[in-house]
């Protein structure tokens, strides 16, 4: 395990029990948690993106703000729903945010997850082409976005421009060199993981995936990662790929931890999501020594190079910093981190 970061869904609620009672609370506390995580020595700050929900949505202002407040930590998403995205405008936003961050963006994108509204992407002005599904449209948007990040000119310049143009066809600006290699695809199946490898994207695999064999979640996820790496090698890409997995992991080191998460960590669960039979990975909550042994038995964690800790952001910055610190101090070294 080379890299450990956190993943926040950015929930907010006016409930008296929530430390994030407004969108402003969530945005500002997300920045503060990224700063705290960097100070603790964590490697990454990642944020979920959901539309029409009391959660984090438009990611690039947040990513740019985190980039301006930090200096080392990776800054990413897990994931941006490409069904909602204009690839041209997204390439501009991503380039600007990456330049502000000094080349630290790690953008997770995907076809999205179950929505709060029916076909929400239509409200954003998008619709599948004839014969396409919404998932196909998301992948098409992703392919356009990836091409734009190469930084190649494609637009015919105006012969009488307001400002002088460089020679040749024009590209999207600002362009951030190297960002193309820091795009990840959030995959819920073996097939889309193989597709991501062929496209030259890194792989994000979360706490659920399509149930393709009936085996435990971590075993299926490890097979997904191996299929991805095989496809990457077959595609002949020059660089080495990166792979992340997400987990809910809590080291029980004080009374607060035991009060919040000490009731046990449970088992994998089976459910149906978007008409797909899915398997949801278990959570981990135990004393550090026991936690280390449990995580060493997780085949997918062993296969991945990056672990993202899903954090309960509504419990506030101070407690979530404690959660991250407890893992970094008491658990991560035994898993090979640093």
């Amino acid at each position: 395990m080379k890299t450990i970061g956190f993943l926040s869904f950015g929930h907010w609620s006016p409930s008296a029990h929530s430390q994030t009672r407004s969108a402003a609370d969530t945005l500002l506390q997300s920045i503060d948690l990224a700063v705290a995580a960097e100070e603790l020595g964590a490697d990454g700050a990642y944020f979920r993106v959901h539309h029409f929900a009391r959660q984090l949505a438009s990611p690039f202002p947040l990513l740019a703000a985190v980039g301006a407040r930090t200096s080392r930590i990776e800054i990413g998403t897990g994931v941006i729903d490409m069904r909602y995205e204009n690839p041209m405008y997204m390439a501009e936003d991503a380039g600007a945010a990456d330049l502000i961050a000094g080349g630290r963006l790690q953008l997770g994108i995907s076809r999205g997850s179950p929505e709060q509204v029916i076909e929400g992407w239509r409200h954003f002005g998008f619709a599948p082409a004839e014969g396409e599904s919404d998932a196909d449209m998301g992948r098409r948007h992703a392919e356009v976005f990836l091409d734009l990040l190469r930084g190649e000119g494609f637009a015919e310049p105006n012969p009488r421009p307001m400002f002088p143009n460089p020679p040749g066809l024009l590209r999207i600006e600002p362009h951030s060199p190297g960002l193309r290699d820091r795009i990840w695809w959030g995959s819920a199946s073996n097939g889309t993981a193989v597709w991501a490898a062929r496209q030259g994207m890194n792989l994000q695999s979360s706490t659920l995936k399509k149930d393709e064999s009936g085996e435990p979640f971590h075993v299926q996820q490890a097979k997904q990662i191996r299929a991805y790496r095989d496809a990457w090698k077959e595609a002949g890409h020059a660089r080495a790929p990166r792979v992340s997995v997400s987990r809910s992991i809590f080291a029980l080191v004080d009374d607060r931890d035991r009060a919040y998460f000490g009731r046990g960590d449970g088992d994998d669960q089976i459910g149906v999501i978007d008409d797909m039979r899915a398997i949801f990975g278990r959570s981990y909550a135990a004393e550090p020594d026991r936690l280390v042994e449990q995580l060493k038995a997780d085949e997918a964690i062993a296969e991945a190079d990056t672990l993202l800790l899903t954090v309960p952001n509504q419990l506030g910055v101070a407690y979530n910093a404690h959660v991250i610190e407890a893992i970094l101090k008491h658990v991560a070294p035994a898993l090979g981190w640093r």
Side-chain angles (χ1 to χ4, degrees), residues 204-268:
Q204 284 185 342
S205 192
S206 71
T207 53
L208 70 89
K209 73 174 298 293
K210 182 179 181 181
D211 184 7
E212 300 184 68
S213 68
E215 296 170 291
F217 172 79
H218 73 100
V219 175
Q220 293 197 47
Q221 192 174 51
K223 289 184 175 181
Q224 178 195 39
I225 294 170
R226 288 191 284 269
Y228 165 81
R229 288 213 171 99
D230 288 344
W232 182 279
K233 183 177 180 180
E234 183 179 335
H237 301 301
R239 67 178 180 87
R242 288 185 61 183
V243 176
S244 74
V245 295
S246 303
R247 293 289 186 274
S248 296
I249 304 173
F250 301 96
L252 306 181
V253 299
D254 65 19
D255 290 341
R256 292 175 301 169
D257 302 325
R258 285 182 278 273
Y260 284 133
F261 303 107
R263 292 187 295 274
D265 38 29
D267 300 312
D268 294 345

Side-chain angles (χ1 to χ4, degrees), residues 135-157:
D136 294 331
M137 177 179 68
R139 285 188 283 271
R140 172 166 53 84
H141 287 180
E143 290 171 344
V144 174
F145 177 62
L146 293 173
D147 283 341
L148 292 169
L149 293 184
R150 298 182 193 280
E152 299 173 356
F154 62 91
E156 188 73 28

